[in-house]
Amino acid sequence: MIKKLLICFSIQFLQILPNYSQCKDELNKILKENNKISTLYKYKDNKKLIMLKLKNLMEINKSRKKYGLSLLKLDIVASRVANKHCIEMLKYNYAGHWNKSGFKPYHRYAFAGETDHIGENLFAKWTTGSFNTNIKSVNKMMLEGHKSFMAEKFPNNWHKKMVLAQGHTHIGIGFAINKQSFRYSQMFVNRYVTLKPIPKIINSPFKLTLEGNIIKSKKNYGPYMLVIYYETIPSNHFNYKIQPKTYHDFTNSRFLTIPPWKMKYNDLTGNFMIDINFKDVKNGYYYIKLYVRKNVSSIPYVLKKRVSINNSNAVPATGIIIRVKN
């Protein structure tokens, strides 16, 4: 079965990479990264499952290519975060974007030590009979899940819109299966910046500087707007069995908005610095979203006239979670 998967994977991958040697090198690179990363090691995929997910990624990239969008790369940590959630959903027989503790996808990814912005699609299936749990069956159900997303029609096409969002660069793919249930997760990643370490837990009041760099492959982007949302700590009585079909990537409590003219940005080095004053904060979580935008020369880092800013043409690049205790 592994040989069959490798042949199938290679044939599809050659649509992107010009020769088999390059295809093999890319696969070895992914496998090496998978063995090197220690984050959520309990949810690590073996070679067979990595190849299964790469096969599924080909279908996802086919959908994006059809709409003229960039192709995605498999992300190891996001895949493990997705695996963990799928396993939990299967174990406790539920389906939803909130986990059993009441945390959304961006919480779960941030708690794994990551800072990129993410978005999630989920697919669930049950049977009163018995699922075949072999690789062939899993591959078929993963494809069924993705096709169900792409078959959605406006206005109920949230999953399709997630697949086709322009800002995505990587994807984590997760699944879990037993005889009665199947769960499948697509965790889309927007990777545009690298950040210097910042504290995950703070006591108020507190000042910090968000410092980082635009990655070289995205040098035509610049930091544009930073928005911070406040969230209460999830209740111990959170009902994970009853959940909405979709989730919001924000809360109704906006804590702070920082425009570009209050940022320091060097377009030659890609370095940026943003001072954040956590003043009058409450006990809970603060969700930090840094937006980036193309056409750096048009971003008003120096305010010369009255302007308005919004995130309609910007890409959310971070999903940082800070816990405030006071």
Side-chain angles (χ1 to χ4, degrees):
M1 179 57 71
I2 294 179
K3 282 188 176 180
K4 288 181 180 179
L5 277 172
L6 178 58
I7 292 169
C8 187
F9 160 69
S10 299
I11 289 172
Q12 295 184 66
F13 210 49
L14 284 171
Q15 297 174 9
I16 304 170
L17 299 178
N19 56 63
Y20 177 80
S21 176
Q22 191 173 352
C23 172
K24 187 177 179 181
D25 289 345
E26 186 67 18
L27 174 60
N28 288 334
K29 180 181 176 182
I30 294 169
L31 292 173
K32 185 177 180 180
E33 181 184 10
N34 186 48
N35 290 328
K36 183 179 179 181
I37 294 173
S38 61
T39 303
L40 294 178
Y41 200 78
K42 179 180 177 181
Y43 303 95
K44 175 179 178 285
D45 291 308
N46 59 30
K47 181 178 179 180
K48 182 167 63 174
L49 297 182
I50 287 288
M51 295 184 68
L52 175 66
K53 292 182 178 185
L54 287 169
K55 184 169 168 28
N56 185 246
L57 175 56
M58 294 300 164
E59 297 299 327
I60 296 168
N61 276 335
K62 273 186 188 178
S63 299
R64 289 180 61 84
K65 187 176 181 181
K66 180 180 177 181
Y67 288 85
L69 299 170
S70 61
L71 305 182
L72 308 180
K73 295 181 179 181
L74 187 69
D75 186 83
I76 297 301
V77 175
S79 292
R80 293 181 188 178
V81 173
N83 283 343
K84 181 180 179 181
H85 188 51
C86 287
I87 290 168
E88 183 188 276
M89 287 189 290
L90 208 66
K91 180 179 179 180
Y92 294 98
N93 192 31
Y94 78 96
H97 294 287
W98 285 257
N99 69 3
K100 193 168 177 286
S101 300
F103 291 111
K104 294 181 182 180
Y106 57 80
H107 294 110
R108 293 186 269 110
Y109 187 66
F111 293 161
E114 302 300 306
T115 58
D116 305 306
H117 182 271
I118 62 96
E120 182 181 69
N121 279 342
L122 291 177
F123 173 78
K125 191 172 182 178
W126 292 263
T127 182
T128 54
S130 180
F131 283 137
N132 189 329
T133 59
N134 64 21
I135 287 291
K136 185 176 180 180
S137 179
V138 171
N139 177 59
K140 183 178 179 181
M141 283 192 275
M142 289 170 76
L143 182 58
E144 179 186 349
H146 178 66
K147 285 186 174 180
S148 74
F149 300 151
M150 298 311 296
E152 291 176 344
K153 303 294 183 184
F154 180 83
N156 300 315
N157 60 338
W158 307 288
H159 300 93
K160 184 176 181 178
K161 287 171 69 175
M162 181 67 74
V163 174
L164 301 179
Q166 291 189 16
H168 301 326
T169 59
H170 295 71
I171 185 173
I173 298 173
F175 78 90
I177 188 169
N178 60 25
K179 291 293 185 180
Q180 280 72 48
S181 296
F182 173 74
R183 302 291 185 275
Y184 167 60
S185 169
Q186 298 176 339
M187 184 164 274
F188 296 91
V189 182
N190 298 352
R191 184 158 297 146
Y192 289 78
V193 302
T194 58
L195 299 175
K196 288 190 175 182
I198 60 173
K200 304 299 182 186
I201 301 174
I202 63 175
N203 297 310
S204 62
F206 192 87
K207 293 182 179 180
L208 67 81
T209 298
L210 185 68
E211 183 175 359
N213 281 79
I214 302 292
I215 63 175
K216 289 183 180 179
S217 62
K218 300 296 181 182
K219 61 183 180 180
N220 54 333
Y221 285 80
Y224 177 62
M225 180 170 66
L226 185 137
V227 182
I228 303 178
Y229 297 95
Y230 167 73
E231 303 179 65
T232 58
I233 298 169
S235 167
N236 291 331
H237 304 291
F238 174 74
N239 188 353
Y240 62 91
K241 292 279 189 178
I242 302 175
Q243 298 195 21
K245 290 183 178 180
T246 187
Y247 71 98
H248 294 300
D249 187 38
F250 57 87
T251 72
N252 293 325
S253 181
R254 183 180 289 204
F255 170 70
L256 184 66
T257 300
I258 298 178
W261 53 87
K262 291 189 177 181
M263 302 176 183
K264 297 175 184 177
Y265 179 61
N266 186 324
D267 60 351
L268 296 178
T269 64
N271 177 261
F272 59 84
M273 297 175 67
I274 306 169
D275 293 326
I276 304 172
N277 186 4
F278 282 90
K279 183 181 179 181
D280 299 324
V281 291
K282 297 180 286 186
N283 188 52
Y285 291 98
Y286 286 79
Y287 177 39
I288 304 175
K289 291 175 70 174
L290 172 65
Y291 289 84
V292 296
R293 203 188 73 180
K294 277 185 175 181
N295 302 320
V296 176
S297 61
S298 67
I299 299 176
Y301 293 116
V302 178
L303 189 60
K304 296 180 179 179
K305 60 180 181 179
R306 190 173 208 148
V307 297
S308 62
I309 61 169
N310 61 70
N311 60 11
S312 60
N313 294 314
V315 176
T318 68
I320 303 162
I321 295 291
I322 292 181
R323 171 77 164 90
V324 172
K325 294 182 177 181
N326 60 3

